Amino acid sequence: MDTQCRSGEEGPVPFRSSRFFCVGSKWYFTTREGFDSGPFSSRERAEIGLKRFLHVVRMLPEEQKLH
């Protein structure tokens, strides 16, 4: 769990957990919206999958972005 304040944050540090988790030998990532993606063969592959997901989300028009 990350217990450090991020740039621009004030007040108590909110609960944070990793976006990545492993079930058996397969890796997944989760989003703030509760979307789980996977399985991936390694954590590194899950990290690449998350980067690709975030790239696609950033390209969406504002009204279509997940909230």
Side-chain angles (χ1 to χ4, degrees):
M1 178 173 72
D2 184 2
T3 59
Q4 301 294 317
C5 284
R6 294 179 182 170
S7 177
E9 286 186 336
E10 296 179 16
V13 177
F15 174 80
R16 294 191 178 107
S17 62
S18 176
R19 287 185 183 238
F20 303 98
F21 61 96
C22 186
V23 177
S25 62
K26 301 297 183 182
W27 284 89
Y28 300 79
F29 70 83
T30 188
T31 68
R32 292 178 187 151
E33 296 78 24
F35 171 74
D36 295 340
S37 182
F40 297 91
S41 60
S42 66
R43 181 181 172 120
E44 292 78 21
R45 293 280 188 183
E47 290 172 359
I48 292 167
L50 175 60
K51 287 177 185 176
R52 289 178 176 166
F53 171 82
L54 293 174
H55 176 74
V56 170
V57 169
R58 286 184 192 112
M59 293 185 336
L60 291 173
E62 198 61 38
E63 65 271 4
Q64 291 183 3
K65 288 188 179 179
L66 302 173
H67 293 279

